[in-house]
Amino acid sequence: MKQLIEALKKSRRTAALTGAGISTLCGIPDFRGPQGLYAQPDAERIFDIDWFDRDPSIYYRGCRELVYGLKDRSPGPVHKALKHLEDIGGLDGIATQNIDMLHQKAGSSTVWEVHGSPLLHHCRNCGRAATFDEVCAMLDGKEAAFVPRCPVCGAAFKPDITFFGEALPEKAFAEAQALAIRAEVMLALGTSLTVFPAAGLPRLTLQGGGKLFIVNAQPTPLDRFAVRRYPDLAEFAEAVLSLRQA
Ligand code: OAD
Ligand code: ZN
């Protein structure tokens, strides 16, 4: 990790792009890793907007634990390492593909959720909002296929997670792009770098003359553009947590 740590010490503006791999250290499964969510049959329907409108119970059944179990999850070593990097200076911000809200729980101040979040849900018909806690309360004690519905019009509540077939949240993605463009060092952490447009963010850093470091167990399509790919996120977190203020 020496090369990466040296680059972090020199960098005046570091950005991070995080993915589901950083939360496997908190017991949350990723999507495309060996134990990932997409290893289940028909899992690609879970975050698909057309399937949601046809049958919202596919999402609620598939995500009962993954999303609505988040109230009991705590930040892991990588979340803490990024908060530490912010505290000692140098971390400009985080673009995350994760929907688990754990960077915020760790105390990071600049987090752009490019795939949205379940913090709010909206009725698919009338747009009425429900908070994450309200939806958790509706689900409490109900069977796996239960769909929380709008009290006004009866349509399903959908989380503000970006499903396949939906546009990314505009402001969050624009801010993430700006972060990537001005970064001297981009850290791609625990992401397969396969879902676009988020996976294109490190390219903006490279085009702006910045350096890319990847920490991910499996190879990614951007490995050849990176200074290096390291496989071990726990080792990365430990190395960053031992950094002291310059
Ligand atoms: P993926 O599941 O595609 O990639 C996670 C990567 O993390 C895998 O390549 C794993 O090898 C790696 N990994 C897991 N645990 C690790 C560990 N302890 N140490 C090192 N590496 C580890 O997740 P994302 O790239 O985040 O979209 O997926 C992108 C998007 O696809 C997600 O945001 C999600 C999904 O569809 C939505 O939910 C809208
Ligand atoms: Zn409604």
Side-chain angles (χ1 to χ4, degrees), residues 123-128 150-155:
C123 168
R124 276 303 274 170
N125 179 51
C126 74
R128 186 190 170 96
C150 174
V152 178
C153 73

Side-chain angles (χ1 to χ4, degrees), residues 18-25 29-34 36-38 47 66 96-99 114-116 161-164 189-195 198 215-220 230-234:
T18 62
I22 71 164
S23 295
T24 60
L25 300 170
D30 63 7
F31 298 95
R32 296 172 191 81
L37 184 75
Y38 291 162
F47 291 109
L66 183 76
T96 187
Q97 300 166 84
N98 296 345
I99 52 162
V114 298
H115 290 163
I161 295 169
T162 309
F163 280 32
F164 289 102
L189 308 173
T191 168
S192 61
L193 294 171
T194 53
V195 177
V215 189
N216 201 65
Q218 291 170 298
T220 84
Y230 303 89
D232 194 337
L233 282 164

Side-chain angles (χ1 to χ4, degrees), residues 104-140:
Q104 293 90 328
K105 269 195 196 171
S108 289
S109 64
T110 309
V111 182
W112 301 108
E113 297 172 304
V114 298
H115 290 163
S117 118
L119 192 61
L120 283 180
H121 287 53
H122 285 92
C123 168
R124 276 303 274 170
N125 179 51
C126 74
R128 186 190 170 96
T131 65
F132 181 74
D133 291 342
E134 286 166 346
V135 173
C136 285
M138 290 183 221
L139 291 169
D140 193 34

Side-chain angles (χ1 to χ4, degrees), residues 16-50:
L17 170 65
T18 62
I22 71 164
S23 295
T24 60
L25 300 170
C26 317
I28 301 171
D30 63 7
F31 298 95
R32 296 172 191 81
Q35 319 291 328
L37 184 75
Y38 291 162
Q40 299 177 35
D42 293 335
E44 75 283 356
R45 294 182 183 177
I46 295 175
F47 291 109
D48 182 291
I49 194 63
D50 294 327

